[in-house]
């Protein structure tokens, strides 16, 4: 059975998303007591994002965007939520500057895939016993990139 590969062109056509997939998903709630405690305290949980990349064959890159929602305090009752979402991209051959490639990986690609990752992540968490969870904060990847590299 053949699948369709959706190729997303950016406005500037500097990269193409070849395929996206959930690489790993972990939701850990050890007990009913934990569930009840976390439901009352989930607003205190921190959302962290980590982006890593690795080179593949044929000038492709795999970028893994990891979201982790966790309690960083020493509470006895805590749950853990994490998604690793992979995007395989090709970068236009005219793009050779490492800084420009970094911007594509850390900013442009994230602007394209992050809303989908967040929706998937929230949907799984809600269906895991936390129906009231919302993530109100939006991530400005452009600002994060400029703060780090400029």
């Amino acid at each position: 059975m053949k699948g369709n590969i959706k190729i997303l062109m950016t406005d500037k056509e500097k990269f193409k998303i070849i395929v996206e997939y959930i690489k790993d998903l972990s939701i850990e709630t050890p007990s009913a007591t934990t569930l009840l405690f976390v439901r009352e305290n989930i607003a205190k949980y921190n959302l962290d994002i980590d982006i890593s990349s690795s080179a593949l064959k044929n000038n492709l890159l795999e970028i893994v965007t990891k979201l982790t929602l966790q309690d960083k305090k020493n509470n006895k009752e805590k749950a853990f939520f994490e998604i690793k979402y992979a995007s395989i991209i090709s970068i236009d051959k005219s793009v050779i500057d490492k800084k420009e490639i970094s911007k594509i990986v850390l900013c442009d690609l994230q602007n394209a895939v992050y809303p989908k990752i967040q929706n998937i992540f929230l949907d799984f968490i809600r269906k895991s016993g936390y129906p009231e969870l919302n993530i109100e904060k939006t991530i400005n990847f452009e600002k994060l990139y400029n703060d780090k590299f400029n």
Side-chain angles (χ1 to χ4, degrees), residues 6 20 22 27 42 45 53 58 61 69 71 74 96 101 103-104 106 114 124-126 129 133 140 149:
K6 179 181 163 190
E20 304 169 50
I22 297 171
I27 296 176
I42 201 156
Y45 274 44
S53 63
N58 302 323
L61 291 175
L69 183 65
D71 182 357
N74 289 328
I96 55 173
I101 293 170
K103 185 176 183 301
I104 289 169
L106 298 172
Y114 181 78
F124 274 106
I125 294 171
R126 288 177 184 140
L133 178 66
N140 184 335
F149 293 105

Side-chain angles (χ1 to χ4, degrees), residues 91-134:
I91 296 179
D92 188 272
K93 291 177 181 163
S94 67
V95 179
I96 55 173
D97 180 57
K98 287 186 179 189
K99 189 172 181 182
E100 190 172 5
I101 293 170
S102 290
K103 185 176 183 301
I104 289 169
V105 168
L106 298 172
C107 184
D108 300 338
L109 173 66
Q110 299 310 313
N111 284 330
V113 299
Y114 181 78
K116 183 186 309 181
I117 299 168
Q118 181 177 319
N119 286 337
I120 292 168
F121 194 43
L122 280 173
D123 191 44
F124 274 106
I125 294 171
R126 288 177 184 140
K127 289 179 178 175
S128 297
Y130 305 90
E132 303 300 319
L133 178 66
N134 279 311

Side-chain angles (χ1 to χ4, degrees), residues 16-68:
K16 295 177 189 173
I17 298 175
I18 306 301
V19 69
E20 304 169 50
Y21 63 98
I22 297 171
K23 191 167 188 156
D24 188 34
L25 177 65
S26 179
I27 296 176
E28 300 170 15
T29 304
S31 68
T33 305
T34 300
L35 176 72
L36 296 173
F37 179 82
V38 172
R39 277 183 164 186
E40 291 178 15
N41 294 284
I42 201 156
K44 298 175 186 171
Y45 274 44
N46 294 320
L47 180 67
D48 295 322
I49 185 166
D50 181 59
I51 302 164
S52 61
S53 63
S54 58
L56 303 174
K57 294 179 182 179
N58 302 323
N59 295 322
L60 297 176
L61 291 175
E62 178 186 51
I63 293 83
V64 176
T65 305
K66 179 173 77 170
L67 300 182
T68 307

